[in-house]
Each structure stands twice: as structure tokens, then as C-alpha cells.
Amino acid sequence: MKTNLARYFTVLLFVMAAFAQTSALAEKRELYQLKVYHLKDEKQRDCLENYLKQAYIPALHRAGIGKVGVFKPAGNADSLIYVLIPFKSAKQFFSLSDNIAADKNYLTAGDDYLNTSFDNPVFKSIESILMESISGMPVLSVPTLKSDAADRIYELRRYEAATEKLHENKISQFNNGELDIFKRLGFNTVFCGKVKAGSKLPSLVYMTSFENKAERDAHWKAFSADSEWIKLNSQPKYAHNFLRADIYLLNPVSYSEI
């Protein structure tokens, strides 16, 4: 009897430990870096894209980074390139520069970009935004779109709040209903992150994805008329929780992995 009881408690402790470990992993949030390259002409774009495709993204994978997204503005291919990089931890983010600097394959493949002269730059500037995923969507989700890459629309939105308290309130709205509505209506949400470092603080940034522009427009029309959204958004506690919304419609490049 005592032996069976001891075995029971041993198994129970094992199950509890396993559950605790699984829960801890489930709650672990990713970090995202969104790099925005500002370009002046097609020559810069071609050089940058060659670097990203042949050198940078392969080096990211060797450093333990998962799928990387590369996007350009819909209808304005030459001016900006967006690169979305997911990180498992802050340590992985902060160690990345040293890791790829020691990567001989990266240094060779990226030579034209890395060693360009001061009077022949590859970009005008680089903007970097660091985000932490929110609890309602702790990890990035790669959509399974079927249309041609040139037709796909990835919508990047930034909700800037008037105060830090209102910013946290908007995150709460996402965690407690808004993301669920997106999922039910088929918005193919890619990520949702709280900006930790970058411009226009405090702000929340997220990305949704659609087969094409017409589908994107239809989804937002359905969202605006959705009874659950109307009920959620009409709650007084969520009033005025963002000051403005910046909306960017993007197309994935041919080698984007997201």
C-alpha cells in the first residue's frame, strides 16, 4: 500500500513539474526587430536585396533565427525595405551582431554591402524598432497564403497612444477580445508587439495578412460591422486608448519567408 502510494505521489510530482515547465515555455514571449531601410534609388535597392538574400538572412539562420520576413511598400518598391526578425530572447538579440561578425561565410557573401565606400552607400538610413510580443499572441505565426507573392497584402499597423496607461489599455483590449475577433474573421495575424525601443512611443505594432487588396478591404469591412467588435469597442474602459493609427500596406519580396 505504501509502495503504491509513494509511486502515485512520484508520478503526480513528475506530471506537475512537466506541466509547470510547459506553462513556463508557453508564456515565454518573443522579441521582434523591424528594420526599415530607407533607399534613394533602384541601385541601392538591388544591392541591399542581394545582401539580404545572399548574406544576411542565411547568417541569421546560422545564428539560430527562424523565418525572416522581407517586405516592400505596395506600389512603391524603391523607397523602403522592411525586414522583420524574430528573436527567442533578449540574449539572442544582443549577441547577434557579434555572432554574424564572426561568420566567415557572411563576411564573404556580404562583402559588397559591408565594405562599400563612404561615397557609395547602400542606404540613406536604417530605422530600427524593437518589440516584445504581447501575452495574447506570444509567438509569431507564418500565414499560409496561396496567392502570388506580388498580390499578397501584409498590413502593418502602429497604434500610438496619448499616455502610457492608455497604451497598456489598448494592449489589454487586444489580449481580451480583439485578437480573438481577428482570428475568427481570418485576418491571418503575423505578430503583435509592444514597442520597447524606437520612435513614436508608446505604441503597439501588429501585422495582418491577406491574399490580395480586395480581400483585405472586405475583411476590414466585416470587422467594422462585427457585433462582437462593436460590443467590445463600445465599452467605456477602452475609450480613447489610441491617439492615431499609422497604416502601411506591404508586399512580400520573392525570398521573404513570412
Side-chain angles (χ1 to χ4, degrees), residues 1 3 7 12 23 29 35 39-40 66 69 71 76 102 109 122 129 137 142-143 145 155 166 174 185 203 207 224 253:
M1 180 71 174
T3 301
R7 288 177 179 173
L12 180 61
S23 298
R29 300 183 194 175
K35 300 178 76 172
L39 310 170
K40 70 175 183 179
F71 311 92
N76 188 13
V122 180
I129 303 170
M137 190 172 185
V142 179
L145 301 176
E155 182 166 355
L166 287 169
F174 263 72
L185 295 179
S203 59
M207 176 180 278
S224 299
V253 301

Side-chain angles (χ1 to χ4, degrees), residues 42-217:
E42 186 175 352
K43 180 182 177 182
Q44 284 191 340
R45 185 200 67 191
D46 290 344
C47 184
L48 174 63
E49 290 209 76
N50 184 67
Y51 161 74
L52 294 173
K53 183 178 180 180
Q54 303 297 332
Y56 191 55
I57 294 177
L60 292 180
H61 293 329
R62 290 192 292 272
I65 306 296
K67 293 184 181 296
V68 178
V70 184
F71 311 92
K72 60 184 181 180
N76 188 13
D78 294 335
S79 61
L80 298 169
I81 292 289
Y82 295 77
V83 181
L84 177 64
I85 309 168
F87 293 90
K88 298 173 184 176
S89 66
K91 181 180 179 180
Q92 188 181 46
F93 170 76
F94 286 112
S95 64
L96 178 62
S97 295
D98 289 340
N99 286 341
I100 64 174
D103 184 333
K104 294 182 179 179
N105 290 333
Y106 165 72
L107 297 176
T108 298
D111 181 70
D112 288 346
Y113 173 93
L114 296 170
N115 296 308
T116 189
S117 62
F118 78 94
D119 57 352
N120 186 36
V122 180
F123 49 78
K124 291 195 296 184
S125 64
I126 304 174
E127 178 184 357
S128 178
I129 303 170
L130 180 64
M131 298 166 280
E132 180 185 33
S133 64
I134 66 174
S135 62
M137 190 172 185
V139 296
L140 180 146
S141 178
V142 179
T144 55
L145 301 176
K146 298 179 180 180
S147 58
D148 292 339
D151 294 328
R152 297 174 192 172
I153 291 293
Y154 285 71
E155 182 166 355
L156 188 70
R157 288 198 175 205
R158 182 204 295 259
Y159 288 159
E160 184 181 354
T163 70
E164 292 171 324
K165 183 177 180 179
L166 287 169
H167 165 60
E168 294 295 338
N169 181 270
K170 184 59 181 175
I171 292 175
S172 176
Q173 187 176 18
F174 263 72
N175 286 333
N176 294 289
E178 193 161 349
L179 280 172
D180 291 335
I181 297 171
F182 279 174
K183 183 176 182 179
R184 176 169 54 80
L185 295 179
F187 271 68
N188 299 307
T189 307
V190 178
F191 77 91
C192 191
K194 175 181 180 179
V195 178
K196 307 296 287 187
S199 59
K200 298 184 179 180
L201 296 174
S203 59
L204 174 73
V205 175
Y206 71 93
M207 176 180 278
T208 51
S209 56
F210 310 92
E211 298 287 358
N212 49 55
K213 178 63 164 52
E215 187 187 79
R216 178 262 178 192
D217 294 345

